Amino acid sequence: MTNLHTDQAATGTGDRSRPRAVLPALCATQITSWGVIYYAFPVLNPEITAATGWPAGATTAAFSAALLVSAFAGIRVGRILDHRGPRTVMTAGSVLGVLSLLVIAAAPNMAAFTAGWLLAGIAMAATFYQPAFAALTRWWAPEHVRALTIVTLAGGLASTVFAPLTAALADHLTWRATYGLLAGILALITIPAHAFALKAPWPKAPTPPARTGHHADAIARSRPFWMLAAALTLSSFAMYAVVVALVPLLLDRGYTTTQAAWALGLGGAGQTLGRILYATLARRVGAMPRTTLLIALGGISTATVALVPGPYALLIALSIAAGTVRGNLTLLQATAITDRWGTTHYGRLSGLLGAPTTSAAALAPFAGAALAAPLGGYPTLFLLLAALSLLAAMTALGSTSLRARRTSAQLE
């Protein structure tokens, strides 16, 4: 945390005015954007494949392609955010998100369906956590952890709200009509919120302290940065594969689509709980051990879900526990840059860090669906993902330089 406090003290970022409308607006838009663009898909995908005859692997690959596009678009988005702020980026992203869902809903074939998801990938890069985190880190520093926690608390409710809502809509409507209605909800909430609530002047980036070596290029080439990127990439792959595979896992165990949707949704409630606890954990545990601990706990929770077939109430409890860990991991990634290198190049560095992690998240749904059958089912897949998380936890041990660890120990 040393670098963060130093560059804030030197530049007076703690005195910046904080636009009041930003925080509630981003809470509402993160719930809606994640809920509609991301969490509706795992609920609707079984119906999509049944109604169209398209292979589940193909539809999941289209969704994965959207996340992959989001990963690389996020690098450019990060640069724009550093210089111009979030208003134009996030408003345009909301418009594109609505259009992409309408293309998906009307798609007559897999090619059009895939094209819709590729457009959705750009919308994800411009509306999901990365631009919201960049906005809050610049406007709210040095109390950005509190602001990030509030927004991710709200974002954690995206699956809680929209997974059951999507299942309920799908009980009465076709998957196409459901996506059309969800697109309308996305337009109604996110476009005006981003256009009108993010109008505040964009503060200048703080100047890094002299002779720290904290230039973006030097940081991006450093061993701790790449070890951090590797750890978060492996963890992200495992985490997102679990999220998308949870519904088919429970369906294979004999539970209904509604029961599976509620299990997925209540995992989002667990994310909210985890994010409440994160600030306390961040104050008491350093960046590297915190990273290692949380990723390891993610692996343990995944293994537990794989090994416990029921009863349903116990699976709900396990889903909430796993969601608690995921909630912490979201804030861990949001604060990983500022914990180690300060706020000056946050947009650019978070974009670079987000490219491999989001790419892994993109490949995870397709890889999970493709591996489940050869591995003998979803329980074995979950055990493999748990092992991957433990490997990520070991990699995280190198995510902070020896010099930084010594400095932190002296300050404590």
Side-chain angles (χ1 to χ4, degrees), residues 124-153:
M124 292 176 186
T127 59
F128 277 13
Y129 279 140
Q130 181 186 327
F133 289 165
L136 295 173
T137 298
R138 183 73 66 87
W139 267 320
W140 257 258
E143 297 177 5
H144 60 286
V145 173
R146 176 177 173 272
L148 294 174
T149 300
I150 292 171
V151 167
T152 53
L153 284 175

PDB file of all heavy atoms in Angstrom, residues 124-153:
ATOM      1  N   MET A 124     -19.106  -5.301 -23.307  1.00  0.00           N
ATOM      2  CA  MET A 124     -18.600  -5.730 -22.004  1.00  0.00           C
ATOM      3  C   MET A 124     -17.367  -4.923 -21.596  1.00  0.00           C
ATOM      4  O   MET A 124     -17.247  -4.477 -20.451  1.00  0.00           O
ATOM      5  CB  MET A 124     -18.234  -7.219 -22.045  1.00  0.00           C
ATOM      6  CG  MET A 124     -19.396  -8.167 -22.187  1.00  0.00           C
ATOM      7  SD  MET A 124     -18.765  -9.877 -22.324  1.00  0.00           S
ATOM      8  CE  MET A 124     -20.279 -10.772 -22.653  1.00  0.00           C
ATOM      9  N   ALA A 125     -16.433  -4.754 -22.546  1.00  0.00           N
ATOM     10  CA  ALA A 125     -15.204  -4.011 -22.235  1.00  0.00           C
ATOM     11  C   ALA A 125     -15.511  -2.584 -21.809  1.00  0.00           C
ATOM     12  O   ALA A 125     -14.780  -1.997 -20.998  1.00  0.00           O
ATOM     13  CB  ALA A 125     -14.279  -4.005 -23.449  1.00  0.00           C
ATOM     14  N   ALA A 126     -16.586  -2.011 -22.349  1.00  0.00           N
ATOM     15  CA  ALA A 126     -16.916  -0.607 -22.097  1.00  0.00           C
ATOM     16  C   ALA A 126     -17.891  -0.396 -20.950  1.00  0.00           C
ATOM     17  O   ALA A 126     -18.112   0.756 -20.548  1.00  0.00           O
ATOM     18  CB  ALA A 126     -17.493   0.014 -23.368  1.00  0.00           C
ATOM     19  N   THR A 127     -18.463  -1.469 -20.394  1.00  0.00           N
ATOM     20  CA  THR A 127     -19.488  -1.273 -19.359  1.00  0.00           C
ATOM     21  C   THR A 127     -19.286  -2.099 -18.101  1.00  0.00           C
ATOM     22  O   THR A 127     -19.902  -1.796 -17.080  1.00  0.00           O
ATOM     23  CB  THR A 127     -20.894  -1.618 -19.908  1.00  0.00           C
ATOM     24  OG1 THR A 127     -20.911  -2.978 -20.364  1.00  0.00           O
ATOM     25  CG2 THR A 127     -21.277  -0.704 -21.045  1.00  0.00           C
ATOM     26  N   PHE A 128     -18.447  -3.138 -18.144  1.00  0.00           N
ATOM     27  CA  PHE A 128     -18.302  -4.000 -16.980  1.00  0.00           C
ATOM     28  C   PHE A 128     -17.376  -3.359 -15.950  1.00  0.00           C
ATOM     29  O   PHE A 128     -17.176  -2.157 -15.933  1.00  0.00           O
ATOM     30  CB  PHE A 128     -17.811  -5.376 -17.421  1.00  0.00           C
ATOM     31  CG  PHE A 128     -18.915  -6.300 -17.908  1.00  0.00           C
ATOM     32  CD1 PHE A 128     -20.188  -5.821 -18.180  1.00  0.00           C
ATOM     33  CD2 PHE A 128     -18.679  -7.650 -18.118  1.00  0.00           C
ATOM     34  CE1 PHE A 128     -21.206  -6.667 -18.629  1.00  0.00           C
ATOM     35  CE2 PHE A 128     -19.683  -8.509 -18.565  1.00  0.00           C
ATOM     36  CZ  PHE A 128     -20.944  -8.014 -18.823  1.00  0.00           C
ATOM     37  N   TYR A 129     -16.797  -4.156 -15.085  1.00  0.00           N
ATOM     38  CA  TYR A 129     -16.079  -3.622 -13.940  1.00  0.00           C
ATOM     39  C   TYR A 129     -14.878  -2.740 -14.294  1.00  0.00           C
ATOM     40  O   TYR A 129     -14.607  -1.758 -13.606  1.00  0.00           O
ATOM     41  CB  TYR A 129     -15.586  -4.765 -13.053  1.00  0.00           C
ATOM     42  CG  TYR A 129     -16.634  -5.333 -12.125  1.00  0.00           C
ATOM     43  CD1 TYR A 129     -16.714  -6.708 -11.903  1.00  0.00           C
ATOM     44  CD2 TYR A 129     -17.534  -4.511 -11.460  1.00  0.00           C
ATOM     45  CE1 TYR A 129     -17.669  -7.238 -11.038  1.00  0.00           C
ATOM     46  CE2 TYR A 129     -18.487  -5.024 -10.611  1.00  0.00           C
ATOM     47  CZ  TYR A 129     -18.550  -6.401 -10.400  1.00  0.00           C
ATOM     48  OH  TYR A 129     -19.492  -6.912  -9.553  1.00  0.00           O
ATOM     49  N   GLN A 130     -14.134  -3.077 -15.351  1.00  0.00           N
ATOM     50  CA  GLN A 130     -12.895  -2.334 -15.613  1.00  0.00           C
ATOM     51  C   GLN A 130     -13.114  -0.829 -15.750  1.00  0.00           C
ATOM     52  O   GLN A 130     -12.434  -0.044 -15.065  1.00  0.00           O
ATOM     53  CB  GLN A 130     -12.193  -2.886 -16.852  1.00  0.00           C
ATOM     54  CG  GLN A 130     -10.873  -2.160 -17.159  1.00  0.00           C
ATOM     55  CD  GLN A 130     -10.257  -2.614 -18.470  1.00  0.00           C
ATOM     56  OE1 GLN A 130     -10.380  -3.765 -18.864  1.00  0.00           O
ATOM     57  NE2 GLN A 130      -9.603  -1.699 -19.167  1.00  0.00           N
ATOM     58  N   PRO A 131     -14.021  -0.345 -16.604  1.00  0.00           N
ATOM     59  CA  PRO A 131     -14.226   1.108 -16.678  1.00  0.00           C
ATOM     60  C   PRO A 131     -14.825   1.686 -15.400  1.00  0.00           C
ATOM     61  O   PRO A 131     -14.489   2.815 -15.010  1.00  0.00           O
ATOM     62  CB  PRO A 131     -15.165   1.286 -17.870  1.00  0.00           C
ATOM     63  CG  PRO A 131     -15.803  -0.040 -18.073  1.00  0.00           C
ATOM     64  CD  PRO A 131     -14.798  -1.052 -17.642  1.00  0.00           C
ATOM     65  N   ALA A 132     -15.682   0.928 -14.740  1.00  0.00           N
ATOM     66  CA  ALA A 132     -16.244   1.417 -13.475  1.00  0.00           C
ATOM     67  C   ALA A 132     -15.153   1.557 -12.422  1.00  0.00           C
ATOM     68  O   ALA A 132     -15.106   2.549 -11.672  1.00  0.00           O
ATOM     69  CB  ALA A 132     -17.332   0.460 -12.981  1.00  0.00           C
ATOM     70  N   PHE A 133     -14.258   0.581 -12.354  1.00  0.00           N
ATOM     71  CA  PHE A 133     -13.154   0.650 -11.396  1.00  0.00           C
ATOM     72  C   PHE A 133     -12.225   1.812 -11.703  1.00  0.00           C
ATOM     73  O   PHE A 133     -11.734   2.493 -10.795  1.00  0.00           O
ATOM     74  CB  PHE A 133     -12.353  -0.655 -11.419  1.00  0.00           C
ATOM     75  CG  PHE A 133     -13.075  -1.840 -10.824  1.00  0.00           C
ATOM     76  CD1 PHE A 133     -12.620  -3.127 -11.045  1.00  0.00           C
ATOM     77  CD2 PHE A 133     -14.204  -1.667 -10.042  1.00  0.00           C
ATOM     78  CE1 PHE A 133     -13.265  -4.217 -10.493  1.00  0.00           C
ATOM     79  CE2 PHE A 133     -14.868  -2.750  -9.489  1.00  0.00           C
ATOM     80  CZ  PHE A 133     -14.395  -4.036  -9.719  1.00  0.00           C
ATOM     81  N   ALA A 134     -11.949   2.040 -12.985  1.00  0.00           N
ATOM     82  CA  ALA A 134     -11.079   3.160 -13.352  1.00  0.00           C
ATOM     83  C   ALA A 134     -11.700   4.485 -12.932  1.00  0.00           C
ATOM     84  O   ALA A 134     -11.011   5.385 -12.420  1.00  0.00           O
ATOM     85  CB  ALA A 134     -10.820   3.148 -14.863  1.00  0.00           C
ATOM     86  N   ALA A 135     -13.004   4.621 -13.134  1.00  0.00           N
ATOM     87  CA  ALA A 135     -13.690   5.854 -12.742  1.00  0.00           C
ATOM     88  C   ALA A 135     -13.606   6.086 -11.244  1.00  0.00           C
ATOM     89  O   ALA A 135     -13.271   7.189 -10.772  1.00  0.00           O
ATOM     90  CB  ALA A 135     -15.150   5.790 -13.189  1.00  0.00           C
ATOM     91  N   LEU A 136     -13.888   5.059 -10.473  1.00  0.00           N
ATOM     92  CA  LEU A 136     -13.900   5.209  -9.016  1.00  0.00           C
ATOM     93  C   LEU A 136     -12.498   5.395  -8.457  1.00  0.00           C
ATOM     94  O   LEU A 136     -12.306   6.140  -7.487  1.00  0.00           O
ATOM     95  CB  LEU A 136     -14.566   3.982  -8.384  1.00  0.00           C
ATOM     96  CG  LEU A 136     -16.053   3.818  -8.718  1.00  0.00           C
ATOM     97  CD1 LEU A 136     -16.576   2.496  -8.190  1.00  0.00           C
ATOM     98  CD2 LEU A 136     -16.866   4.973  -8.143  1.00  0.00           C
ATOM     99  N   THR A 137     -11.514   4.718  -9.047  1.00  0.00           N
ATOM    100  CA  THR A 137     -10.136   4.863  -8.563  1.00  0.00           C
ATOM    101  C   THR A 137      -9.647   6.289  -8.756  1.00  0.00           C
ATOM    102  O   THR A 137      -8.947   6.840  -7.904  1.00  0.00           O
ATOM    103  CB  THR A 137      -9.215   3.868  -9.289  1.00  0.00           C
ATOM    104  OG1 THR A 137      -9.651   2.532  -8.997  1.00  0.00           O
ATOM    105  CG2 THR A 137      -7.768   4.030  -8.833  1.00  0.00           C
ATOM    106  N   ARG A 138     -10.014   6.938  -9.866  1.00  0.00           N
ATOM    107  CA  ARG A 138      -9.582   8.318 -10.111  1.00  0.00           C
ATOM    108  C   ARG A 138     -10.402   9.308  -9.282  1.00  0.00           C
ATOM    109  O   ARG A 138      -9.860  10.236  -8.676  1.00  0.00           O
ATOM    110  CB  ARG A 138      -9.715   8.638 -11.601  1.00  0.00           C
ATOM    111  CG  ARG A 138      -9.235  10.030 -12.007  1.00  0.00           C
ATOM    112  CD  ARG A 138      -7.704  10.159 -11.983  1.00  0.00           C
ATOM    113  NE  ARG A 138      -7.063   9.336 -12.972  1.00  0.00           N
ATOM    114  CZ  ARG A 138      -6.831   9.705 -14.238  1.00  0.00           C
ATOM    115  NH1 ARG A 138      -7.216  10.894 -14.660  1.00  0.00           N
ATOM    116  NH2 ARG A 138      -6.216   8.892 -15.065  1.00  0.00           N
ATOM    117  N   TRP A 139     -11.705   9.145  -9.234  1.00  0.00           N
ATOM    118  CA  TRP A 139     -12.556  10.112  -8.549  1.00  0.00           C
ATOM    119  C   TRP A 139     -12.498   9.969  -7.022  1.00  0.00           C
ATOM    120  O   TRP A 139     -12.641  10.943  -6.303  1.00  0.00           O
ATOM    121  CB  TRP A 139     -14.009   9.960  -9.006  1.00  0.00           C
ATOM    122  CG  TRP A 139     -14.406  10.855 -10.149  1.00  0.00           C
ATOM    123  CD1 TRP A 139     -14.058  12.148 -10.339  1.00  0.00           C
ATOM    124  CD2 TRP A 139     -15.249  10.506 -11.262  1.00  0.00           C
ATOM    125  NE1 TRP A 139     -14.618  12.641 -11.495  1.00  0.00           N
ATOM    126  CE2 TRP A 139     -15.355  11.658 -12.078  1.00  0.00           C
ATOM    127  CE3 TRP A 139     -15.920   9.340 -11.636  1.00  0.00           C
ATOM    128  CZ2 TRP A 139     -16.112  11.664 -13.256  1.00  0.00           C
ATOM    129  CZ3 TRP A 139     -16.667   9.360 -12.801  1.00  0.00           C
ATOM    130  CH2 TRP A 139     -16.758  10.515 -13.610  1.00  0.00           C
ATOM    131  N   TRP A 140     -12.308   8.751  -6.529  1.00  0.00           N
ATOM    132  CA  TRP A 140     -12.449   8.515  -5.092  1.00  0.00           C
ATOM    133  C   TRP A 140     -11.130   8.354  -4.335  1.00  0.00           C
ATOM    134  O   TRP A 140     -11.144   8.290  -3.112  1.00  0.00           O
ATOM    135  CB  TRP A 140     -13.312   7.271  -4.845  1.00  0.00           C
ATOM    136  CG  TRP A 140     -14.706   7.617  -4.422  1.00  0.00           C
ATOM    137  CD1 TRP A 140     -15.212   7.575  -3.165  1.00  0.00           C
ATOM    138  CD2 TRP A 140     -15.770   8.063  -5.256  1.00  0.00           C
ATOM    139  NE1 TRP A 140     -16.524   7.978  -3.162  1.00  0.00           N
ATOM    140  CE2 TRP A 140     -16.897   8.285  -4.437  1.00  0.00           C
ATOM    141  CE3 TRP A 140     -15.888   8.315  -6.617  1.00  0.00           C
ATOM    142  CZ2 TRP A 140     -18.110   8.722  -4.936  1.00  0.00           C
ATOM    143  CZ3 TRP A 140     -17.096   8.743  -7.112  1.00  0.00           C
ATOM    144  CH2 TRP A 140     -18.182   8.952  -6.280  1.00  0.00           C
ATOM    145  N   ALA A 141      -9.990   8.257  -5.011  1.00  0.00           N
ATOM    146  CA  ALA A 141      -8.731   8.064  -4.296  1.00  0.00           C
ATOM    147  C   ALA A 141      -8.554   9.161  -3.236  1.00  0.00           C
ATOM    148  O   ALA A 141      -8.897  10.320  -3.486  1.00  0.00           O
ATOM    149  CB  ALA A 141      -7.561   8.095  -5.284  1.00  0.00           C
ATOM    150  N   PRO A 142      -8.048   8.847  -2.034  1.00  0.00           N
ATOM    151  CA  PRO A 142      -7.478   7.556  -1.623  1.00  0.00           C
ATOM    152  C   PRO A 142      -8.478   6.599  -0.982  1.00  0.00           C
ATOM    153  O   PRO A 142      -8.085   5.564  -0.463  1.00  0.00           O
ATOM    154  CB  PRO A 142      -6.439   7.984  -0.586  1.00  0.00           C
ATOM    155  CG  PRO A 142      -7.068   9.177   0.083  1.00  0.00           C
ATOM    156  CD  PRO A 142      -7.835   9.888  -1.004  1.00  0.00           C
ATOM    157  N   GLU A 143      -9.758   6.917  -0.996  1.00  0.00           N
ATOM    158  CA  GLU A 143     -10.760   6.046  -0.381  1.00  0.00           C
ATOM    159  C   GLU A 143     -11.465   5.200  -1.431  1.00  0.00           C
ATOM    160  O   GLU A 143     -12.642   4.849  -1.299  1.00  0.00           O
ATOM    161  CB  GLU A 143     -11.779   6.890   0.394  1.00  0.00           C
ATOM    162  CG  GLU A 143     -11.162   7.652   1.561  1.00  0.00           C
ATOM    163  CD  GLU A 143     -12.189   8.538   2.263  1.00  0.00           C
ATOM    164  OE1 GLU A 143     -13.380   8.466   1.894  1.00  0.00           O
ATOM    165  OE2 GLU A 143     -11.794   9.283   3.164  1.00  0.00           O
ATOM    166  N   HIS A 144     -10.727   4.857  -2.481  1.00  0.00           N
ATOM    167  CA  HIS A 144     -11.344   4.144  -3.589  1.00  0.00           C
ATOM    168  C   HIS A 144     -11.765   2.725  -3.214  1.00  0.00           C
ATOM    169  O   HIS A 144     -12.692   2.189  -3.803  1.00  0.00           O
ATOM    170  CB  HIS A 144     -10.393   4.108  -4.786  1.00  0.00           C
ATOM    171  CG  HIS A 144      -9.101   3.440  -4.507  1.00  0.00           C
ATOM    172  ND1 HIS A 144      -8.120   4.032  -3.757  1.00  0.00           N
ATOM    173  CD2 HIS A 144      -8.638   2.208  -4.840  1.00  0.00           C
ATOM    174  CE1 HIS A 144      -7.100   3.213  -3.654  1.00  0.00           C
ATOM    175  NE2 HIS A 144      -7.387   2.097  -4.298  1.00  0.00           N
ATOM    176  N   VAL A 145     -11.091   2.094  -2.243  1.00  0.00           N
ATOM    177  CA  VAL A 145     -11.464   0.726  -1.864  1.00  0.00           C
ATOM    178  C   VAL A 145     -12.908   0.703  -1.369  1.00  0.00           C
ATOM    179  O   VAL A 145     -13.673  -0.210  -1.674  1.00  0.00           O
ATOM    180  CB  VAL A 145     -10.499   0.160  -0.811  1.00  0.00           C
ATOM    181  CG1 VAL A 145     -11.003  -1.188  -0.296  1.00  0.00           C
ATOM    182  CG2 VAL A 145      -9.102   0.004  -1.400  1.00  0.00           C
ATOM    183  N   ARG A 146     -13.275   1.722  -0.596  1.00  0.00           N
ATOM    184  CA  ARG A 146     -14.664   1.805  -0.110  1.00  0.00           C
ATOM    185  C   ARG A 146     -15.632   1.931  -1.277  1.00  0.00           C
ATOM    186  O   ARG A 146     -16.673   1.250  -1.323  1.00  0.00           O
ATOM    187  CB  ARG A 146     -14.808   2.997   0.836  1.00  0.00           C
ATOM    188  CG  ARG A 146     -16.245   3.237   1.313  1.00  0.00           C
ATOM    189  CD  ARG A 146     -16.289   4.398   2.297  1.00  0.00           C
ATOM    190  NE  ARG A 146     -17.668   4.750   2.627  1.00  0.00           N
ATOM    191  CZ  ARG A 146     -18.414   5.602   1.946  1.00  0.00           C
ATOM    192  NH1 ARG A 146     -17.910   6.208   0.874  1.00  0.00           N
ATOM    193  NH2 ARG A 146     -19.660   5.863   2.307  1.00  0.00           N
ATOM    194  N   ALA A 147     -15.316   2.801  -2.235  1.00  0.00           N
ATOM    195  CA  ALA A 147     -16.196   2.978  -3.393  1.00  0.00           C
ATOM    196  C   ALA A 147     -16.257   1.715  -4.242  1.00  0.00           C
ATOM    197  O   ALA A 147     -17.334   1.314  -4.701  1.00  0.00           O
ATOM    198  CB  ALA A 147     -15.716   4.159  -4.235  1.00  0.00           C
ATOM    199  N   LEU A 148     -15.098   1.085  -4.453  1.00  0.00           N
ATOM    200  CA  LEU A 148     -15.073  -0.163  -5.215  1.00  0.00           C
ATOM    201  C   LEU A 148     -15.904  -1.233  -4.529  1.00  0.00           C
ATOM    202  O   LEU A 148     -16.618  -2.009  -5.180  1.00  0.00           O
ATOM    203  CB  LEU A 148     -13.632  -0.653  -5.377  1.00  0.00           C
ATOM    204  CG  LEU A 148     -12.688   0.204  -6.220  1.00  0.00           C
ATOM    205  CD1 LEU A 148     -11.269  -0.361  -6.152  1.00  0.00           C
ATOM    206  CD2 LEU A 148     -13.152   0.277  -7.648  1.00  0.00           C
ATOM    207  N   THR A 149     -15.809  -1.281  -3.192  1.00  0.00           N
ATOM    208  CA  THR A 149     -16.567  -2.276  -2.441  1.00  0.00           C
ATOM    209  C   THR A 149     -18.069  -2.068  -2.622  1.00  0.00           C
ATOM    210  O   THR A 149     -18.822  -3.022  -2.834  1.00  0.00           O
ATOM    211  CB  THR A 149     -16.210  -2.206  -0.947  1.00  0.00           C
ATOM    212  OG1 THR A 149     -14.801  -2.451  -0.793  1.00  0.00           O
ATOM    213  CG2 THR A 149     -16.991  -3.238  -0.151  1.00  0.00           C
ATOM    214  N   ILE A 150     -18.509  -0.823  -2.549  1.00  0.00           N
ATOM    215  CA  ILE A 150     -19.941  -0.534  -2.688  1.00  0.00           C
ATOM    216  C   ILE A 150     -20.448  -0.964  -4.058  1.00  0.00           C
ATOM    217  O   ILE A 150     -21.497  -1.620  -4.183  1.00  0.00           O
ATOM    218  CB  ILE A 150     -20.207   0.961  -2.448  1.00  0.00           C
ATOM    219  CG1 ILE A 150     -19.946   1.317  -0.979  1.00  0.00           C
ATOM    220  CG2 ILE A 150     -21.642   1.321  -2.836  1.00  0.00           C
ATOM    221  CD1 ILE A 150     -19.971   2.800  -0.695  1.00  0.00           C
ATOM    222  N   VAL A 151     -19.702  -0.617  -5.114  1.00  0.00           N
ATOM    223  CA  VAL A 151     -20.145  -0.967  -6.460  1.00  0.00           C
ATOM    224  C   VAL A 151     -20.121  -2.480  -6.680  1.00  0.00           C
ATOM    225  O   VAL A 151     -21.039  -3.045  -7.295  1.00  0.00           O
ATOM    226  CB  VAL A 151     -19.286  -0.242  -7.520  1.00  0.00           C
ATOM    227  CG1 VAL A 151     -19.511  -0.830  -8.904  1.00  0.00           C
ATOM    228  CG2 VAL A 151     -19.624   1.237  -7.532  1.00  0.00           C
ATOM    229  N   THR A 152     -19.105  -3.153  -6.170  1.00  0.00           N
ATOM    230  CA  THR A 152     -19.058  -4.606  -6.356  1.00  0.00           C
ATOM    231  C   THR A 152     -20.069  -5.320  -5.454  1.00  0.00           C
ATOM    232  O   THR A 152     -20.496  -6.430  -5.781  1.00  0.00           O
ATOM    233  CB  THR A 152     -17.645  -5.152  -6.106  1.00  0.00           C
ATOM    234  OG1 THR A 152     -17.169  -4.724  -4.827  1.00  0.00           O
ATOM    235  CG2 THR A 152     -16.687  -4.692  -7.190  1.00  0.00           C
ATOM    236  N   LEU A 153     -20.422  -4.699  -4.330  1.00  0.00           N
ATOM    237  CA  LEU A 153     -21.518  -5.255  -3.534  1.00  0.00           C
ATOM    238  C   LEU A 153     -22.792  -5.284  -4.379  1.00  0.00           C
ATOM    239  O   LEU A 153     -23.531  -6.278  -4.398  1.00  0.00           O
ATOM    240  CB  LEU A 153     -21.757  -4.413  -2.278  1.00  0.00           C
ATOM    241  CG  LEU A 153     -20.766  -4.566  -1.128  1.00  0.00           C
ATOM    242  CD1 LEU A 153     -21.087  -3.561  -0.030  1.00  0.00           C
ATOM    243  CD2 LEU A 153     -20.780  -5.972  -0.583  1.00  0.00           C
TER     244      LEU A 153
END
